[in-house]
């Protein structure tokens, strides 16, 4: 099963890398900033698409350690598929070199389309245990201490926007002390979003609602106990109850794709791990969606739900 997924991933990655080389490779130079010397760019036996494929395949949900995955699975069982395999240390160097191509691949090849119904939420990414915050050297001065419903943590926040099919529309990485209602963060994430955006009570903000409304987006949230109730339509009430679908996406990113762990040794490795997890999720054959929740109900509820969705403009 993993072999078939690797073939599919390599097909999409190879097509993108070929187009990238033809159109954009000449625009990037390897000169160091402030000097006239050119940086060494020695070619490797592994091409860009092969490196991207292995970075994504690791997050398929069957492995917990990338070094074990590369040395005991790829080098043993996939040696015929990747004849130009290099040592593990060399592969780590090559993966950092191709981080820009990997990011563009996710942006243009793994991005979903907005359907007019979107859900927004954030999840915490711990980089170490709270008792080891003062001893952490990798993320010193970069990660921040924040607080969530689960308590205090040291790390970052991953903000996500998905559509009703469970596909990721946009993602944003911020420090742990960043407010979910940060206008700069929401503006960057909702550039290509339209229609109705459903969030939890953490996104209640008049300034945020006015900003999104000016961009053609209606923010729909529940209200707190000390607030007046909003006049919501039946469709909005139904979709608000289905907002938990994005929490299921966060759960799969953490438990299956391993977007969060505390074994990072560099900032670049931390970022590559996040990119690999998001790209691997895009290739999942079955994603949590509103339709999957509706299929668990009886036929009458399904018919009522479809009638309510048909009324959405």
């Amino acid at each position: 099963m993993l072999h078939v997924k690797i073939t599919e991933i390599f097909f999409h990655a190879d097509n993108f890398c070929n187009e990238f080389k033809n159109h954009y490779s000449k625009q990037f130079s390897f000169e160091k900033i402030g000097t006239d010397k050119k940086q060494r760019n020695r070619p490797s036996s592994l091409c860009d698409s092969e490196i991207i494929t292995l970075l994504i395949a690791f997050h398929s949900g069957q492995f917990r350690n990338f070094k074990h995955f590369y040395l005991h699975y790829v080098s043993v069982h996939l040696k015929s598929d990747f004849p130009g395999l290099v040592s593990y240390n060399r592969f780590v160097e090559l993966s950092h070199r191709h981080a820009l191509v990997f990011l563009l691949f996710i942006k243009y090849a793994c991005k979903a389309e907005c359907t007019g119904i979107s859900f927004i939420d954030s999840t915490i990414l711990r980089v170490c245990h709270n008792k080891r915050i003062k001893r952490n050297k990798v993320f010193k001065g970069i990660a921040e201490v924040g607080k969530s419903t689960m308590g205090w943590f040291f790390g970052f926040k991953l903000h996500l926007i998905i559509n009703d099919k469970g596909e990721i529309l946009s993602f944003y990485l911020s420090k742990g002390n960043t407010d979910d209602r940060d206008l700069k963060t929401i503006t960057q994430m909702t550039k290509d979003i339209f229609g109705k955006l459903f969030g939890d009570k953490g996104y209640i903000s008049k300034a945020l609602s006015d900003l999104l409304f000016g961009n053609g987006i209606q923010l729909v949230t529940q209200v707190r106990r000390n607030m007046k109730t909003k006049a919501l339509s039946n469709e909005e009430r139904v979709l608000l109850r289905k907002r938990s679908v994005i929490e299921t996406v966060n759960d799969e990113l953490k438990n299956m794709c391993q977007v969060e762990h505390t074994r990072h040794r560099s900032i670049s490795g931390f970022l590559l791990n996040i990119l690999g997890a998001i790209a691997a999720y895009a290739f999942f054959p079955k994603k949590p969606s509103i339709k999957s929740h509706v299929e668990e109900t009886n036929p009458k509820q399904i018919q009522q739900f479809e009638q309510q969705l048909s009324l959405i403009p």
Side-chain angles (χ1 to χ4, degrees), residues 185-196:
T185 302
I186 301 299
T187 302
Q188 292 290 334
M189 296 181 64
T190 57
K191 287 183 177 180
D192 301 326
I193 307 299
F194 61 89
K196 297 183 179 180

Side-chain angles (χ1 to χ4, degrees), residues 253-307:
L253 287 175
K254 285 189 173 182
N255 297 325
M256 297 180 62
C257 300
Q258 296 192 65
V259 73
E260 178 190 34
H261 66 80
T262 58
R263 302 183 302 273
H264 300 291
R265 298 184 179 181
S266 65
I267 303 298
S268 56
F270 168 73
L271 297 176
L272 283 174
N273 181 74
I274 296 177
L275 295 178
I278 294 176
Y281 175 81
F283 285 96
F284 279 9
K286 185 177 180 180
K287 301 179 179 64
S289 62
I290 293 179
K291 183 178 180 182
S292 61
H293 288 285
V294 174
E295 289 176 351
E296 298 177 357
T297 60
N298 55 57
K300 290 183 179 181
Q301 292 177 340
I302 295 175
Q303 185 178 2
Q304 293 176 359
F305 184 80
E306 291 178 349
Q307 291 176 357

Side-chain angles (χ1 to χ4, degrees), residues 10 13-15 17-18 21 43-55 81-86 91 94-95 97-98 101:
F10 177 79
D14 192 55
N15 290 339
C17 291
N18 291 333
K21 289 181 180 180
S44 62
S45 56
L46 282 175
C47 61
D48 301 352
S49 54
E50 291 177 326
I51 295 176
I52 292 175
T53 301
L54 293 177
L55 289 175
D81 298 329
F82 300 92
L85 285 178
V86 296
F91 182 86
L94 294 176
S95 62
R97 179 192 296 181
H98 296 83
V101 183

Side-chain angles (χ1 to χ4, degrees), residues 212-229:
L212 294 176
F213 187 78
N215 297 330
I217 303 173
Q218 180 185 357
L219 180 62
V220 182
T221 61
Q222 295 180 350
V223 296
R224 298 189 179 97
R225 294 181 179 180
N226 59 348
M227 297 176 60
K228 295 182 180 180
T229 58

Side-chain angles (χ1 to χ4, degrees), residues 45-85:
S45 56
L46 282 175
C47 61
D48 301 352
S49 54
E50 291 177 326
I51 295 176
I52 292 175
T53 301
L54 293 177
L55 289 175
I56 298 176
F58 163 67
H59 296 275
S60 60
Q62 303 179 22
F63 301 94
R64 295 297 176 184
N65 184 280
F66 184 80
K67 186 174 184 179
H68 183 274
F69 165 74
Y70 189 84
L71 295 178
H72 300 283
Y73 183 80
V74 176
S75 300
V76 176
H77 301 284
L78 300 180
K79 194 171 183 179
S80 58
D81 298 329
F82 300 92
L85 285 178

Side-chain angles (χ1 to χ4, degrees), residues 169-183:
L169 300 176
S170 178
F171 65 94
Y172 193 93
L173 183 67
S174 65
K175 294 184 178 181
N177 58 354
T178 304
D179 191 353
D180 291 344
R181 300 165 294 183
D182 183 64
L183 299 181

Side-chain angles (χ1 to χ4, degrees), residues 45 71-72 85 99 118 121 168 203-204 211 217 220 247 261 309:
S45 56
L71 295 178
H72 300 283
L85 285 178
S118 307
D121 196 12
I168 297 178
Y203 292 92
I204 297 177
L211 175 65
I217 303 173
V220 182
E247 298 178 0
H261 66 80
L309 289 181

Side-chain angles (χ1 to χ4, degrees), residues 83 93 103 106 112 137 223 230 257 265 296:
E93 296 176 0
L103 178 61
I106 296 175
K137 298 181 180 180
V223 296
K230 292 183 179 180
C257 300
R265 298 184 179 181
E296 298 177 357

